[in-house]
Amino acid sequence: MKLKFPMVAIVLEVAMIILFGYFVEYETEQINLQQPNTTNSTKVDRFLELHSLFQDVHVMIFVGFGFLMTFLKNYGFSSVGINLLIAALGLQWGTFMWGIVHNHGQKIHIGIKNMINGDLSTATVLISFGAVLGKISPTQMLAMTILEIAAFVGNEYLVGEIFEASDIGASMTIHAFGAYFGLAVAGILYQPSLRKGHEMEKSAYHSDLFAMIGTLFLWMFWPSFNSVIAETGEKQYMAIVNTYFSLVACVLTAYAFSSLVEKRGRLDMVHIQNATLAGGVAVGTCADMKIHPYGSMIIGSIAGIVSVLGFKFLTPFFTTKLRIHDTCGVHNLHGLPGVVGGLASIVAIALGASKTSTMAMQAAALGSSIGTAVVGGLITGT
Amino acid sequence: MKLKFPMVAIVLEVAMIILFGYFVEYETEQINLQQPNTTNSTKVDRFLELHSLFQDVHVMIFVGFGFLMTFLKNYGFSSVGINLLIAALGLQWGTFMWGIVHNHGQKIHIGIKNMINGDLSTATVLISFGAVLGKISPTQMLAMTILEIAAFVGNEYLVGEIFEASDIGASMTIHAFGAYFGLAVAGILYQPSLRKGHEMEKSAYHSDLFAMIGTLFLWMFWPSFNSVIAETGEKQYMAIVNTYFSLVACVLTAYAFSSLVEKRGRLDMVHIQNATLAGGVAVGTCADMKIHPYGSMIIGSIAGIVSVLGFKFLTPFFTTKLRIHDTCGVHNLHGLPGVVGGLASIVAIALGASKTSTMAMQAAALGSSIGTAVVGGLITGT
Amino acid sequence: MKLKFPMVAIVLEVAMIILFGYFVEYETEQINLQQPNTTNSTKVDRFLELHSLFQDVHVMIFVGFGFLMTFLKNYGFSSVGINLLIAALGLQWGTFMWGIVHNHGQKIHIGIKNMINGDLSTATVLISFGAVLGKISPTQMLAMTILEIAAFVGNEYLVGEIFEASDIGASMTIHAFGAYFGLAVAGILYQPSLRKGHEMEKSAYHSDLFAMIGTLFLWMFWPSFNSVIAETGEKQYMAIVNTYFSLVACVLTAYAFSSLVEKRGRLDMVHIQNATLAGGVAVGTCADMKIHPYGSMIIGSIAGIVSVLGFKFLTPFFTTKLRIHDTCGVHNLHGLPGVVGGLASIVAIALGASKTSTMAMQAAALGSSIGTAVVGGLITGT
């Protein structure tokens, strides 16, 4: 029993080394038949050019997600520690899976895009982790990482390559997917004792400050998250600007509604830590569309409101009636705002903000993301 | 009463959305009559080029200022939380106000320079916040944000466009301005009970460590703050190098004088958290002038000494005699070093380090910054 | 006695200002006789290009090293505070010493490479600081900074210019050097009372979370550390990619072995904070060689294992038998993995991964680094 975790971790790492030995090479060793003019130095330039946005995303994964979950006073170290473990495995497996699917089984040449997609795959698992924190063991988390990333890459391929839908900031394929996957697993693992809430779930003053470290690094770098895989140039510029304005607007409405729904108008720390980020999630899908700064601000404002109301009314309902206990409230930070993001993209396309995708394909992408997530989560939980 | 804060926040956000809807557009949609050769791709390149310095400043605003004020053990969460709220409003209002004044009422085309100036306007309010922390409510902070940024943009226009003074790192227009504005408000809000200092003002061991997170991120990224709006090329290079060497020198003298003025030679945590940053403030105005690395080190050394002496002798004097209670000691970190910065620029110009401005105009800029701040603060406080 | 620390600090700062006044100039004032085609704007472009990697390293020095040592609950503030003091002095002295040695006594023209080498010199002292934390006074630390950086620059010149050995990520010249220097000093300062371990050495729950801030910023930015002085282009790309994959693999084996050697399979927080970084150290020397991603993963996996075993078995042995008390266990994070890094480079060269150095020269570099460190440390300790 004691040997289970070390053995699983070692076997997985050995497997990764073997897979990388067979399938993964430097980008600079690639003989590029399709684009004969892309020299090595072009590739390396592109690598370093995107490296600074990549670093921002990297900080979000490790410091952002890691510390956001430290608000539980008894799980602070576990959150950060297991977050690092999941991410380290997820980056390897995500890099491999994403590469092998998008290269149709050919050798993978590691470039910045691969590494970014490794980070993004991992983000999905970390979102789900927020729903099951405290319910599963590290060994189970490793298994969930492997299964969820496989499902994620499959759905992401379907959405991007088959539906050709737009989802630049991955509101649907990462946020909604990760949230509903986690909720499905949490539903399977439900224990009646969770209904009342218990001692372990409380936060403490210092743990709330640690969580703000996570919140702020996520908040500040979210524009990089939504723009890192955008087309260079105008699209990347718009993705940064739109996300920035969605986030600032979201803060105002999240604070306003937090004060509105709480007794005596006090601000709730959980809302400040989480709902202020909903604007980044919700603007994701249409971040690179011409929605104008005020359009982003409207999306962000709605996301802040929806998220606070979710924490206040939906989470208790989920726990007591649906028998789904969502430890960190990921449904309110990633699930609902992810759905808002998908819907916003449909409205944006209807209003002519983008012609790269159709309303029907966006709807299909949203449905596919939630559907795959729920089915994948139920299978994984069992 | 309970509805006051939510209503104010919502009304402000709606107002921002309306203003942005009418006045703010993407930079890429600008038809540029003055500079017909500036294509969209040039603008976008410039955006991404400055984006990494902008991100550093962004981290200073949210993590730097936010955590610096967590040293008060009972205001830790408030500091970070209200900091985020003020900044989110300030970024929108600052972007709008700065844009409208500098474009003479024309449409604003959002570029990196606009966003940087949004961050800088906000910094001013956050400095003032340090003087009034614990004295005013979130609703009052929102009102102060609106008023102070209007005054800031007015003074900044006067200093930059009318006086044509140099103030690249904004020692005068941000640091001195923010400090004296905050002190004026604090003077109005003075209550005799503050004279003795009270329980709420104490720090605790962990709160001091949280504050160091703020200190370090401010310290590390200050060269970006002082160089982000500098002319690309040699001037930007000098602004980075000068700030860097001012900061390292400042640490040594701040530690030395902290030990010197404290009982039994112990180091005071407040000095370490604050006075080590004074070098960044004081070198600001002449950061892009040819003051040579050793010149920067002299400025930084003086700033560290002035700041420690301010904390030790001036702050108690302000509280007991002048009836101004400066919660975080912003006068010692921003006020005095800001004045040192203004004076340093006069000396630097006298020594021939720059020809872009004159000694008289620098003096006028310093006077105008302090004057506008005090008048603005007194009006706001009332 | 009380005046000792302030006097030493002030004298050192005055000395630095004088040295910089005589020897240090802006890079843009350099008349470049060797490379007449390098214009000022080329130099400045290069400066800004490397600035973002430099900032990452800067964060590692101040936040990474500073917070990593906060795990001791009674030394939290000291660690961060003295870390800042040492670094501020080290940056000035390192910039000067490195410049004067590499320019053969000529004037130093401050460029990004100088500033990077200032940071790297400082890193060496901060590593040694981890071994002597709690044993020496701030004044002694200032003296050690001066002496150690002189020894470091001497050894680095020997390794790089005389042996012409490869050590791009400085596994040998920084990590092994810093660790063995610190251990030699700690050996001299040994007191029998340290044998039992004492109250002051304990960590607390929150202090462990603060330490994770240090761990994560080191972990995330290590690829920048190993690549910042690499040749631009393919070599820099490989240094980033190799370090990245070494680190992710290291996390898995460190967690696995931590659970394996601890009672009831629990994870040890010290291992999570430290051993997860060993992969960054160990891959350093051959980070820019063609070792392939899977090669990096093998190096990282070994480093994680070696580091955990070092903490579990070697540290107690050092304390009780060798009479060397290593406060933070730097031998396990920097010493052993640094040696692994040197050995890995010999194997890599044997396998044909690089032709820029020979096996003999790599062995000489490793020997020289450890030898100089031990001798330097013994002299400094006395």
Side-chain angles (χ1 to χ4, degrees):
Chain A
M1 194 56 215
K2 192 198 127 163
L3 290 174
K4 201 171 159 193
F5 171 74
M7 284 307 120
V8 170
I10 292 168
V11 167
L12 283 171
E13 188 51 47
V14 171
M16 291 299 149
I17 293 175
I18 294 171
L19 287 173
F20 272 65
Y22 277 102
F23 289 102
V24 180
E25 262 318 319
Y26 294 124
E27 188 177 46
T28 45
E29 292 186 310
Q30 186 173 16
I31 298 149
N32 206 325
L33 298 171
Q34 289 93 42
Q35 299 157 281
N37 296 324
T38 312
T39 60
N40 275 344
S41 77
T42 317
K43 271 182 262 166
V44 167
D45 283 355
R46 175 97 184 125
F47 187 93
L48 292 172
E49 194 185 306
L50 280 179
H51 188 254
S52 125
L53 291 179
F54 166 74
Q55 285 284 58
D56 292 349
V57 175
H58 217 48
V59 172
M60 292 174 75
I61 297 292
F62 290 91
V63 171
F65 282 110
F67 275 92
L68 185 59
M69 289 182 276
T70 55
F71 74 98
L72 294 166
K73 71 175 173 182
N74 293 296
Y75 282 109
F77 201 86
S78 300
S79 309
V80 176
I82 302 298
N83 190 82
L84 174 58
L85 176 67
I86 298 172
L89 176 62
L91 294 185
Q92 299 178 65
W93 180 237
T95 303
F96 173 75
M97 278 299 288
W98 189 87
I100 216 76
V101 166
H102 284 261
N103 286 315
H104 306 288
Q106 305 276 296
K107 282 228 171 196
I108 299 162
H109 294 88
I110 286 292
I112 196 76
K113 212 157 176 200
N114 264 95
M115 287 165 69
I116 290 167
N117 278 288
D119 271 34
L120 298 183
S121 318
T122 299
T124 314
V125 184
L126 297 176
I127 290 166
S128 307
F129 178 43
V132 300
L133 181 63
K135 300 188 190 80
I136 72 177
S137 72
T139 316
Q140 289 172 312
M141 272 312 305
L142 293 178
M144 184 172 126
T145 304
I146 298 295
L147 295 173
E148 181 166 358
I149 288 181
F152 162 76
V153 170
N155 178 61
E156 193 264 343
Y157 188 82
L158 185 69
V159 166
E161 305 286 320
I162 310 297
F163 297 160
E164 297 186 335
S166 291
D167 195 18
I168 201 70
S171 311
M172 302 185 288
T173 51
I174 292 180
H175 295 289
F177 184 95
Y180 290 105
F181 193 101
L183 291 175
V185 175
I188 301 283
L189 300 176
Y190 183 78
Q191 289 165 352
S193 66
L194 291 168
R195 196 183 294 188
K196 298 162 216 157
H198 51 104
E199 200 44 42
M200 302 295 269
E201 237 182 310
K202 294 220 178 102
S203 74
Y205 197 77
H206 279 125
S207 62
D208 274 315
L209 261 175
F210 278 114
M212 278 307 284
I213 298 176
T215 300
L216 290 177
F217 277 100
L218 287 170
W219 197 91
M220 295 184 301
F221 292 162
W222 213 292
S224 301
F225 189 93
N226 282 353
S227 66
V228 70
I229 57 167
E231 211 178 287
T232 322
E234 191 176 1
K235 293 239 165 193
Q236 197 159 45
Y237 156 79
M238 287 201 296
I240 292 175
V241 170
N242 288 335
T243 308
Y244 177 89
F245 283 108
S246 177
L247 284 164
V248 288
C250 174
V251 171
L252 271 284
T253 57
Y255 275 67
F257 274 75
S258 177
S259 167
L260 211 55
V261 300
E262 289 301 311
K263 283 187 200 115
R264 293 186 294 141
R266 293 200 53 160
L267 294 164
D268 187 299
M269 293 191 183
V270 170
H271 301 163
I272 293 180
Q273 286 156 10
N274 292 279
T276 50
L277 298 165
V281 175
V283 82
T285 303
C286 41
D288 65 344
M289 299 179 185
K290 215 168 238 174
I291 52 173
H292 304 291
Y294 80 92
S296 315
M297 288 157 82
I298 292 172
I299 294 174
S301 299
I302 293 170
I305 296 168
V306 166
S307 185
V308 168
L309 297 180
F311 273 105
K312 186 70 186 174
F313 303 110
L314 263 188
T315 297
F317 174 78
F318 268 55
T319 310
T320 52
K321 305 290 174 194
L322 301 186
R323 296 168 163 267
I324 298 172
H325 178 263
D326 178 0
T327 316
C328 299
V330 298
H331 188 240
N332 313 304
L333 169 49
H334 302 280
L336 286 176
V339 172
V340 169
L343 299 177
S345 75
I346 295 175
V347 174
I349 290 170
L351 297 173
S354 171
K355 287 188 181 109
T356 53
S357 176
T358 65
M359 292 164 65
M361 285 307 158
Q362 293 301 109
L366 182 57
S368 153
S369 297
I370 296 175
T372 316
V374 171
V375 173
L378 292 175
I379 295 171
T380 304
T382 329
Chain B
M1 193 57 212
K2 192 198 125 163
L3 290 174
K4 201 171 158 193
F5 171 74
M7 283 308 120
V8 171
I10 291 168
V11 166
L12 283 171
E13 188 51 47
V14 171
M16 291 300 149
I17 292 176
I18 294 171
L19 287 173
F20 272 65
Y22 277 103
F23 288 102
V24 181
E25 261 320 318
Y26 294 124
E27 189 177 45
T28 45
E29 293 185 308
Q30 186 173 14
I31 297 149
N32 207 324
L33 297 171
Q34 288 93 42
Q35 298 157 282
N37 295 323
T38 311
T39 60
N40 275 343
S41 77
T42 317
K43 271 182 262 166
V44 168
D45 283 354
R46 176 98 184 122
F47 187 93
L48 292 172
E49 195 184 305
L50 281 179
H51 188 254
S52 123
L53 291 179
F54 165 74
Q55 285 283 58
D56 291 350
V57 175
H58 217 48
V59 172
M60 292 173 75
I61 297 291
F62 290 91
V63 171
F65 283 110
F67 275 92
L68 186 59
M69 290 182 275
T70 55
F71 74 99
L72 293 166
K73 71 176 173 182
N74 293 296
Y75 282 109
F77 201 86
S78 300
S79 310
V80 177
I82 301 300
N83 191 82
L84 173 59
L85 175 67
I86 298 171
L89 176 62
L91 293 185
Q92 299 178 65
W93 180 237
T95 302
F96 173 75
M97 278 299 289
W98 190 86
I100 216 77
V101 167
H102 284 262
N103 286 316
H104 307 287
Q106 304 277 296
K107 281 228 170 196
I108 300 162
H109 294 88
I110 287 291
I112 194 75
K113 213 156 177 202
N114 263 97
M115 286 164 69
I116 289 167
N117 278 290
D119 271 34
L120 298 182
S121 319
T122 299
T124 315
V125 185
L126 297 176
I127 290 166
S128 308
F129 178 44
V132 299
L133 181 62
K135 302 189 191 77
I136 71 177
S137 71
T139 315
Q140 290 172 311
M141 273 311 307
L142 293 178
M144 184 172 127
T145 304
I146 297 296
L147 295 172
E148 182 167 358
I149 287 182
F152 162 76
V153 170
N155 178 60
E156 193 265 342
Y157 188 82
L158 185 70
V159 166
E161 306 286 321
I162 311 299
F163 297 160
E164 297 187 336
S166 290
D167 195 18
I168 201 70
S171 310
M172 302 184 288
T173 51
I174 292 179
H175 295 289
F177 184 95
Y180 289 105
F181 193 101
L183 290 174
V185 176
I188 300 283
L189 300 176
Y190 184 78
Q191 290 165 352
S193 67
L194 291 168
R195 196 184 294 190
K196 299 163 214 158
H198 49 106
E199 199 45 42
M200 301 296 268
E201 237 184 309
K202 294 221 178 101
S203 74
Y205 197 77
H206 279 125
S207 61
D208 274 315
L209 261 175
F210 278 114
M212 279 305 284
I213 297 176
T215 300
L216 291 177
F217 277 99
L218 287 170
W219 197 92
M220 295 183 301
F221 292 162
W222 213 292
S224 301
F225 188 94
N226 282 354
S227 67
V228 69
I229 56 167
E231 212 178 284
T232 323
E234 191 176 1
K235 292 240 166 194
Q236 195 159 45
Y237 156 79
M238 287 202 296
I240 293 174
V241 169
N242 288 335
T243 307
Y244 176 90
F245 283 109
S246 178
L247 284 164
V248 288
C250 174
V251 170
L252 271 282
T253 59
Y255 274 67
F257 274 75
S258 177
S259 167
L260 212 53
V261 300
E262 290 300 313
K263 282 187 201 119
R264 292 187 297 141
R266 293 200 53 161
L267 294 164
D268 187 300
M269 292 190 183
V270 170
H271 302 162
I272 294 181
Q273 285 155 11
N274 291 278
T276 50
L277 298 166
V281 176
V283 83
T285 303
C286 42
D288 64 344
M289 299 181 185
K290 216 168 236 172
I291 53 174
H292 302 290
Y294 80 92
S296 316
M297 288 157 81
I298 293 172
I299 294 174
S301 299
I302 293 169
I305 296 168
V306 166
S307 184
V308 168
L309 298 180
F311 274 105
K312 186 69 187 173
F313 303 110
L314 264 187
T315 296
F317 175 79
F318 269 55
T319 310
T320 52
K321 305 290 174 195
L322 300 186
R323 298 170 162 264
I324 298 172
H325 179 263
D326 178 0
T327 317
C328 301
V330 297
H331 187 240
N332 312 303
L333 169 48
H334 301 280
L336 286 175
V339 173
V340 170
L343 299 176
S345 75
I346 295 175
V347 174
I349 289 170
L351 297 173
S354 172
K355 287 187 181 109
T356 52
S357 176
T358 66
M359 291 163 67
M361 286 306 158
Q362 293 300 110
L366 182 57
S368 152
S369 297
I370 296 175
T372 316
V374 171
V375 173
L378 291 175
I379 294 171
T380 305
T382 331
Chain C
M1 192 57 213
K2 192 199 128 165
L3 290 173
K4 202 170 158 193
F5 171 74
M7 284 307 122
V8 171
I10 290 167
V11 167
L12 283 171
E13 188 52 46
V14 171
M16 292 299 149
I17 292 175
I18 295 170
L19 287 174
F20 272 65
Y22 277 102
F23 288 104
V24 180
E25 262 318 319
Y26 294 124
E27 189 177 45
T28 45
E29 293 185 309
Q30 185 174 15
I31 299 148
N32 207 325
L33 297 171
Q34 288 93 43
Q35 300 157 280
N37 295 323
T38 311
T39 61
N40 275 344
S41 76
T42 318
K43 271 182 262 166
V44 168
D45 284 353
R46 175 98 184 123
F47 187 92
L48 293 173
E49 193 184 307
L50 280 178
H51 187 255
S52 124
L53 291 179
F54 166 73
Q55 285 284 59
D56 292 349
V57 175
H58 217 47
V59 172
M60 292 173 74
I61 297 292
F62 291 91
V63 171
F65 282 111
F67 275 92
L68 186 59
M69 289 183 276
T70 54
F71 75 99
L72 293 166
K73 69 175 174 183
N74 293 297
Y75 282 110
F77 201 85
S78 301
S79 310
V80 176
I82 302 300
N83 190 83
L84 173 59
L85 176 67
I86 298 170
L89 176 62
L91 293 186
Q92 299 177 65
W93 181 237
T95 303
F96 173 75
M97 279 299 289
W98 189 86
I100 217 75
V101 167
H102 284 262
N103 286 316
H104 307 287
Q106 305 276 298
K107 282 227 171 197
I108 299 162
H109 294 88
I110 287 292
I112 195 76
K113 211 157 177 199
N114 264 95
M115 288 165 69
I116 290 166
N117 278 289
D119 271 34
L120 298 183
S121 317
T122 299
T124 315
V125 185
L126 297 176
I127 290 166
S128 307
F129 178 43
V132 300
L133 181 63
K135 299 188 192 80
I136 72 177
S137 72
T139 316
Q140 290 172 311
M141 271 313 305
L142 294 177
M144 184 171 127
T145 304
I146 298 295
L147 295 173
E148 182 167 358
I149 287 182
F152 162 76
V153 170
N155 178 61
E156 193 265 342
Y157 188 82
L158 185 70
V159 167
E161 306 286 321
I162 311 299
F163 296 160
E164 298 186 333
S166 290
D167 195 18
I168 201 69
S171 311
M172 302 184 289
T173 52
I174 292 180
H175 295 288
F177 184 94
Y180 290 104
F181 193 100
L183 290 175
V185 176
I188 301 284
L189 300 175
Y190 184 78
Q191 291 165 350
S193 66
L194 290 168
R195 195 183 293 188
K196 299 163 215 155
H198 49 105
E199 199 45 42
M200 301 295 268
E201 237 184 309
K202 295 221 178 102
S203 74
Y205 198 76
H206 279 125
S207 62
D208 274 315
L209 261 175
F210 278 113
M212 278 306 284
I213 297 176
T215 301
L216 290 177
F217 278 100
L218 287 169
W219 198 91
M220 295 183 302
F221 292 162
W222 213 292
S224 301
F225 189 93
N226 282 354
S227 66
V228 70
I229 57 167
E231 210 179 285
T232 323
E234 190 175 3
K235 291 239 166 194
Q236 196 159 44
Y237 156 79
M238 286 202 296
I240 293 174
V241 169
N242 287 335
T243 307
Y244 177 90
F245 283 108
S246 178
L247 284 164
V248 288
C250 174
V251 170
L252 271 283
T253 58
Y255 274 67
F257 273 75
S258 177
S259 166
L260 210 54
V261 299
E262 290 301 312
K263 282 187 200 116
R264 292 188 294 142
R266 292 200 54 160
L267 294 164
D268 187 300
M269 292 190 183
V270 170
H271 301 163
I272 293 180
Q273 285 155 11
N274 292 279
T276 50
L277 298 165
V281 176
V283 82
T285 304
C286 42
D288 64 344
M289 299 181 186
K290 215 168 236 172
I291 53 174
H292 304 290
Y294 80 93
S296 316
M297 289 157 81
I298 293 172
I299 294 174
S301 300
I302 293 169
I305 296 168
V306 166
S307 184
V308 167
L309 297 180
F311 274 105
K312 185 72 187 173
F313 304 109
L314 264 186
T315 296
F317 174 80
F318 269 55
T319 310
T320 53
K321 305 291 174 194
L322 301 186
R323 295 167 163 267
I324 297 171
H325 179 262
D326 178 0
T327 316
C328 300
V330 298
H331 187 240
N332 312 303
L333 168 50
H334 302 279
L336 287 176
V339 173
V340 169
L343 299 177
S345 76
I346 296 176
V347 174
I349 290 169
L351 296 173
S354 171
K355 286 188 182 109
T356 52
S357 176
T358 65
M359 290 163 67
M361 285 308 160
Q362 294 299 111
L366 182 57
S368 153
S369 298
I370 296 175
T372 316
V374 171
V375 173
L378 291 175
I379 295 170
T380 304
T382 329

